[in-house]
Amino acid sequence: MKVTFLGTGTSQGVPVIACNCEVCLSADKRDNRLRTSILLETGDKTIVVDSGPDFRYQLLREKVKDLDAVLFTHEHKDHIAGLDDIRPFNYLLHKVIDVYATDRVQTALKREFYYIFAETRYHGLPQINLHTVTNGEAFKIGESTIVPFEVMHHLLPITGYRIGDFTYITDAKTISEQSFEKIKGTKILVLNALQKEAHISHFTLNEAIAFAEKVGAETTYLTHISHNLGKHADVEKELPANIRLAYDGLSVEC
Ligand SMILES: [Zn+2]
Ligand SMILES: [Zn+2]
Ligand SMILES: [Zn+2]
């Protein structure tokens, strides 16, 4: 499976509008972070996890020509805002996109994108098939088995996804032992790390490192990064060799 980081930034992205900090002004392309999402090419299916506000530009940048499914982690706007831009796959490829979300996230999608679910459908609406995700219950997309599990974003449950030796977690603050059981043994782990200072609903850099070391994956990539974390090149020097900062456009095989 090929994994491509479509975006690795927190909800405001990096640079932040009107910010003059050294990260936002950095000339290093790795300090430019669109909102967090990944592309999974499994061999028989093309899947994205979350479709944030930068979804259209991310798919153009990576020249994505096909899409089968969207997996949602949770309903915060930085993870769902771009769903409308699946429409080219509807009308160019004549595909209905499979959307996977928990009941609670489905309720939010029906509120935020009410027109997709309207009784009277006008021409050109996004076309989706909604599938219910229940944390702990594996499902298949093509040949791939997807294992969803719950992590906590302060009080909000978030869905993490494991596919074979790859595990993707964003927006976590705490992870139960029950979920750790689902994650352990993974070879490639993606984990959120917002900043160094404490935050009520996101792992700090040190909390992410501690959890990454507990899992002991071959490589952990950190994502959902704020401009407050510091410059990519500086932070990478502080990290253990098997824990790296992800950056937009990075691809890994697993
Ligand atoms: Zn987020
Ligand atoms: Zn800044
Ligand atoms: Zn969130």
Side-chain angles (χ1 to χ4, degrees), residues 195-215:
Q195 59 191 27
K196 292 177 180 171
E197 297 76 31
H199 190 278
I200 190 165
S201 60
H202 286 274
F203 274 154
T204 62
L205 182 63
N206 280 340
E207 287 166 345
I209 291 170
F211 187 77
E213 286 177 340
K214 177 175 170 179
V215 173

Side-chain angles (χ1 to χ4, degrees), residues 74 76 78-79 153 158 171 202 224:
H74 67 303
H76 284 163
D78 54 321
H79 297 262
H153 189 23
I158 305 288
D171 292 57
H202 286 274
H224 209 289

